[in-house]
Amino acid sequence: MKLILTIAWRNILRHKGKSLVIGIILFTGAFLMTLGNGVISGMAAGVEKNIINGFMGDIVLISDAQKSDNILLNIMGTSIEPITTYRRIKEVLAGQSYVRRSLPVGKNLAMVLDENSATPGFAFLIGVDFAEYRKMFPDNFKVIEGGYPAPGERALMIPTFTRDEFYGFYNIWFLPAGGTLVKENLKKEALAEIKSLVVSTSVVMMGMTSGTNATNDIRFPVKGIVKYGALNQIFGHFCLVDIESYRECLGYFTASDMSAQVPKEEKKLLGMEGSDLDAMFGGEEIVVNGSKAAPKKFRTVPAAAGVKTAEDGVYNAVFVKLADGFPYKEALARLNSALSAGKTGVKAVPWNKAAGPMGSMALIIKTALFLFVTLLFCVAVIIIVNTLTMAAIERTPEIGMMRAVGARKSFIAGMFLGETAILSAIFGGSGIAAGIAAVNIIPLLKISTDNDMLQILYGGNFFNPLLSFSGVALTALQLLAVTVAAALYPMRVAGEITPLEAVSRD
Amino acid sequence: MPPVYQSLIGQETSGLRNLLMNIIEIKELKKDYPLGTTIVPALRGVDLAVAEGDFISIIGPSGSGKTTLLNVIGCIDSPTSGSVKVGGREITSLDDRQITDIRLNKIGFIFQTFNLIPVLDVLENVEFPLLLMKKSEAEARKRAEKLVEEVGLKEYAAHRPSELSGGQRQRVAIARALVTNPDIVLADEPTANLDSVTGASILELMRRMNELEKTTFIFSTHDANVLKYARRIVKIKDGVIEKEPAAA
């Protein structure tokens, strides 16, 4: 072994040019592999931190009747099945020691109505009890305009992303009731036409469900404008609304009218449905640059009265956070078993399945990075194989002579493997070290992005790669694989050189 | 070498030669090389017996088959047909590993172009075969130092081949060929790339080593001046051994 390594090392020094080429490839490959693994780990950690801790928990409970596990970013118009058994679910969850906290939510699509726009827009609504929501996700967003709703208050919280989208679609800039324009929060285009800016403090929405025709057009007063601490471009698609208003909008039973759902016709008979749709748009003013223009009449939703308890009403999902460190799969299995035994009519699904494309996107990016690293492998292997094979052929007399004086094929093969291994250890090792350094330096640079895709890649708003010991070990293993793969063919070529070829070249 | 044997060497006395132990026995050796669609015969039926401790020169013009014969004897090339026994062992039926082991343990090579390992110094080049034999480093170093001293390169022990003259390189090759105490040393035109004085000194050295180490030497040449060093001369022409002339 010592002899092999001695010859290998001296051959490296003798063929400095070729060794440097291979070394640079190995360095670059190892560096990018380390960084890539760091990005993947950082993304996984970021996604876990931001989505699990800040948006939907570890596990999501959905109705057994729900066909697709994806409830968050489902195809428009596909409604989420209602859950009417939250009382029972709550009891089941209370009996699970590994469940840290849970939050029942309504989640569906709503049509955003505006009489000035021929084409209605859409918004995802998440109906919650705001007080419970803040307990579940205490610091996932900041209210940058307006404030938090008071308990039981009818309110809509619009994320900055959705407000920008609404502006692009309706040319209306939404403000919290009583709020004023905050220039630094204005979209660039809105700022450009601030003098003629149309503002509104409420949004009219019509719930969209495929199950009933009982949805209502509801005017939601804007209570606050929120900005998520991370993944604002993604989480910002979802407007938060109080659960009672949400239920009314979606035509679900509210706590105040809990019983079987009332068909639209019956609601009409009961006087529950507004008879004059136009009147819906006539109750509040649309303000142009602070001055009253084109005053219109709108009707606001009456404040909920006689609410028994919100927990008796309809939800669409329950977000569940697990106790720290509890095995995820075990929790999922035990929870499903308990939910089934409790005849709750719901099932537990992992967050990434419930998140639909958002969960898949993380996987897609992971796969893309993996493919990139694999491609890097292949290119590195091809170049190294080519260089080493050329070296083997050039050294035919030397290798043939070694064979002539009694060196076995395994010795020659070992010599080439030794050369590649030494180069890998020096240059690849340096590449890994440089990658580790880069992974530790990048977070200090505070590189941020507003791009959706990049936010998923970053695992948040900031590029924050993360490298664990296992990540470094994985890179070292990948480097070992490259080394062996790159040396295999040249080893074979060198091993096949016969002493006769050495003599013939004389 | 026993005087009685030395007196017999070089004489046309195959019967007597057979009385001694033959280290090499070749019968009806043929070797063909394909050249495109035609077959070029290099050896056309060679019979040769080499006694232990012999110092033989194979002579013949270029293309006569000298190198091919040495290559086959040295297990570097395989015969097309015929029988080749080295140390009593038929080599035509051996696999690559066995052939390699014979080359390592039984045969030493001296090439026309020296063929030293460029990244190893003189001492390391000489001890290289011993390390392949898994000898201990100390043992290998001791034996290599002895051989290097014997070939007169003690002062150059730490030099790389590129720092040596042609003659010095060939001395290293001789030391390397002898370091394993092989039964046979094969040298293919060992003086071809050397000037006459250096060539003569190399042959002197080989002969001295033959006497010192009791190793069988077979070297090829087409230089008539080197024949005087041989105890036995085997003349080959067109792939066939001619009647052996008397040695000098």
Side-chain angles (χ1 to χ4, degrees):
Chain A
M1 180 56 82
K2 188 185 171 189
L3 179 65
I4 287 176
L5 291 177
T6 302
I7 295 174
W9 171 244
R10 291 186 188 171
N11 270 323
I12 287 169
L13 296 179
R14 185 179 168 215
H15 304 283
K16 286 190 183 74
K18 286 192 187 78
S19 302
L20 198 62
V21 168
I22 295 171
I24 289 170
I25 293 163
L26 286 169
F27 176 88
T28 311
F31 174 75
L32 291 176
M33 279 188 275
T34 310
L35 194 59
N37 285 331
V39 170
I40 289 172
S41 301
M43 180 183 69
V47 163
E48 183 173 330
K49 182 184 166 197
N50 294 312
I51 297 183
I52 294 176
N53 295 337
F55 198 71
M56 61 192 304
D58 301 277
I59 288 173
V60 178
L61 309 187
I62 55 175
S63 167
D64 282 338
Q66 178 67 29
K67 285 178 185 168
S68 166
D69 289 347
N70 167 22
I71 60 150
L72 206 63
L73 290 168
N74 52 334
I75 298 166
M76 280 199 169
T78 308
S79 58
I80 311 303
E81 293 295 331
I83 295 172
T84 56
T85 55
Y86 181 65
R87 281 281 181 204
R88 257 180 283 164
I89 294 169
K90 193 178 177 184
E91 282 170 20
V92 169
L93 291 176
Q96 311 304 312
S97 58
Y98 51 89
V99 172
R100 183 153 54 98
R101 185 169 282 282
S102 63
L103 176 75
V105 298
K107 155 66 185 66
N108 256 309
L109 189 69
M111 192 183 288
V112 180
L113 303 173
D114 171 41
E115 77 279 19
N116 294 323
S117 175
T119 312
F122 299 92
F124 286 115
L125 292 185
I126 293 184
V128 294
D129 177 319
F130 281 108
E132 290 300 313
Y133 183 86
R134 289 184 68 184
K135 285 180 193 167
M136 180 83 167
F137 305 116
D139 51 8
N140 62 340
F141 62 65
K142 281 184 180 174
V143 179
I144 62 166
E145 291 175 39
Y148 288 102
E153 184 181 0
R154 304 277 186 164
L156 175 71
M157 304 288 274
I158 303 179
T160 53
F161 177 82
T162 297
R163 178 163 73 169
D164 289 351
E165 292 288 297
F166 281 170
Y167 177 76
F169 201 81
Y170 305 111
N171 255 343
I172 297 173
W173 189 253
F174 288 97
L175 289 175
T180 55
L181 286 174
V182 181
K183 280 187 180 178
E184 53 265 34
N185 292 340
L186 282 175
K187 204 177 175 189
K188 198 171 72 177
E189 294 82 354
L191 190 62
E193 49 186 49
I194 190 167
K195 288 183 179 175
S196 57
L197 195 61
V198 178
V199 298
S200 176
T201 57
S202 64
V203 186
V204 178
M205 294 192 190
M206 184 178 80
M208 295 182 71
T209 61
S210 55
T212 70
N213 281 325
T215 61
N216 294 309
D217 311 321
I218 302 291
R219 172 179 294 283
F220 291 96
V222 179
K223 180 67 183 177
I225 304 296
V226 302
K227 185 169 185 180
Y228 286 90
L231 300 174
N232 189 56
Q233 302 274 318
I234 295 162
F235 300 162
H237 283 87
F238 302 89
C239 294
L240 293 173
V241 60
D242 69 279
I243 187 67
E244 284 295 287
S245 301
Y246 168 83
R247 287 168 180 159
E248 285 173 2
C249 184
L250 269 293
Y252 292 147
F253 300 120
T254 63
S256 56
D257 57 15
M258 51 171 296
S259 64
Q261 281 192 337
V262 184
K264 200 169 184 177
E265 295 75 22
E266 290 179 27
K267 280 193 170 187
K268 199 170 182 179
L269 289 171
L270 293 166
M272 290 171 65
E273 190 178 66
S275 56
D276 181 7
L277 184 63
D278 289 338
M280 283 289 294
F281 301 98
E284 200 179 322
E285 299 165 342
I286 286 181
V287 183
V288 180
N289 193 21
S291 64
K292 290 179 182 178
K296 301 199 182 300
K297 289 180 180 177
F298 289 86
R299 192 190 71 179
T300 51
V301 171
V307 174
K308 290 182 178 173
T309 166
E311 290 181 351
D312 294 316
V314 175
Y315 295 99
N316 296 105
V318 182
F319 296 159
V320 176
K321 271 188 182 177
L322 298 177
D324 289 338
F326 195 85
Y328 188 76
K329 284 185 179 171
E330 189 187 335
L332 202 61
R334 283 171 64 172
L335 198 50
N336 266 320
S337 174
L339 290 166
S340 178
K343 299 191 187 316
T344 55
V346 299
K347 58 188 172 186
V349 296
W351 72 266
N352 56 331
K353 283 193 175 178
M358 193 157 46
S360 315
M361 194 63 76
L363 185 68
I364 288 166
I365 292 176
K366 257 188 180 180
T367 308
L369 273 172
F370 177 77
L371 289 175
F372 170 72
V373 171
T374 306
L375 187 69
L376 204 70
F377 273 3
C378 294
V379 172
V381 167
I382 288 167
I383 296 173
I384 296 170
V385 164
N386 190 44
T387 312
L388 282 178
T389 305
M390 299 249 303
I393 293 166
E394 280 173 13
R395 283 193 236 160
T396 295
E398 183 186 325
I399 293 166
M401 180 277 300
M402 287 181 177
R403 296 276 287 129
V405 299
R408 287 182 180 167
K409 285 181 178 180
S410 57
F411 180 89
I412 304 298
M415 198 171 73
F416 271 81
L417 186 61
E419 281 184 40
T420 321
I422 290 171
L423 287 171
S424 286
I426 295 171
F427 289 95
S430 304
I432 290 175
I436 292 170
V439 166
N440 285 291
I441 289 169
I442 287 170
L444 304 176
L445 303 176
K446 300 279 179 199
I447 301 168
S448 64
T449 182
D450 289 332
N451 182 281
D452 289 13
M453 292 287 285
L454 283 178
Q455 281 192 359
I456 292 178
L457 179 68
Y458 290 5
N461 292 357
F462 290 93
F463 188 32
N464 197 16
L466 190 70
L467 209 51
S468 59
F469 175 76
S470 59
V472 177
L474 176 66
T475 308
L477 271 176
Q478 289 166 329
L479 190 64
L480 183 68
V482 168
T483 304
V484 173
L488 276 178
Y489 182 70
M491 279 162 61
R492 191 178 162 198
V493 169
E496 292 301 319
I497 292 172
T498 63
L500 188 61
E501 286 177 77
V503 175
S504 303
R505 292 224 177 172
D506 287 348
Chain B
M1 187 174 293
V4 62
Y5 173 64
Q6 286 193 17
S7 68
L8 292 171
I9 290 173
Q11 295 181 23
E12 198 58 44
T13 51
S14 59
L16 282 173
R17 202 183 303 282
N18 286 340
L19 292 173
L20 298 167
M21 185 181 175
N22 285 329
I23 191 102
I24 298 167
E25 285 182 10
I26 299 171
K27 285 179 186 168
E28 276 302 305
L29 172 61
K30 289 182 182 174
K31 177 66 185 177
D32 298 332
Y33 289 113
L35 191 68
T37 54
T38 59
I39 301 293
V40 178
L43 298 174
R44 299 163 186 261
V46 170
D47 292 310
L48 181 68
V50 178
E52 208 171 341
D54 220 338
F55 196 81
I56 299 176
S57 173
I58 298 173
I59 63 165
S62 290
S64 58
K66 303 187 295 292
T67 299
T68 303
L69 180 58
L70 282 181
N71 287 345
V72 173
I73 294 170
C75 304
I76 280 178
D77 207 351
S78 56
T80 305
S81 66
S83 167
V84 179
K85 284 184 180 175
V86 175
R89 198 170 180 191
E90 180 62 54
I91 62 165
T92 50
S93 58
L94 301 179
D95 62 23
D96 183 77
R97 203 180 174 97
Q98 290 168 318
I99 288 280
T100 304
D101 287 346
I102 285 183
R103 284 200 299 262
L104 178 62
N105 297 299
K106 303 279 183 191
I107 301 168
F109 282 95
I110 302 167
F111 296 97
Q112 185 177 328
T113 49
F114 325 129
N115 278 354
L116 301 174
I117 302 171
V119 295
L120 300 182
D121 63 28
V122 168
L123 208 54
E124 289 168 336
N125 261 289
V126 175
E127 70 183 1
F128 178 73
L130 292 173
L131 296 174
L132 291 177
M133 294 169 86
K134 311 285 183 196
K135 300 281 184 191
S136 72
E137 280 187 41
E139 189 184 348
R141 183 51 55 109
K142 192 178 172 186
R143 171 80 178 145
E145 281 173 346
K146 180 174 178 279
L147 263 295
V148 168
E149 192 173 351
E150 282 177 6
V151 298
L153 289 174
K154 192 180 176 184
E155 293 165 32
Y156 296 89
H159 286 234
R160 295 270 178 97
S162 59
E163 297 163 344
L164 303 176
S165 68
Q168 287 170 325
R169 289 183 205 183
Q170 203 58 303
R171 283 167 186 268
V172 178
I174 290 168
R176 184 184 64 189
L178 289 165
V179 77
T180 57
N181 279 323
D183 295 338
I184 308 153
V185 171
L186 302 168
D188 187 15
E189 304 210 25
T191 58
N193 286 337
L194 304 174
D195 61 75
S196 57
V197 176
T198 311
S201 72
I202 290 295
L203 285 162
E204 282 290 352
L205 175 65
M206 283 168 57
R207 188 155 175 165
R208 190 163 62 81
M209 298 308 287
N210 164 250
E211 288 165 4
L212 201 66
E213 301 282 338
K214 311 298 181 200
T215 306
T216 307
F217 271 77
I218 304 173
F219 65 97
S220 70
T221 184
H222 58 255
D223 182 355
N225 292 326
V226 305
L227 294 178
K228 60 183 178 190
Y229 295 95
R231 291 201 195 95
R232 180 185 168 198
I233 296 167
V234 175
K235 192 174 181 184
I236 188 166
K237 188 180 179 186
D238 295 331
V240 179
I241 290 180
E242 293 188 330
K243 191 178 176 184
E244 292 184 25

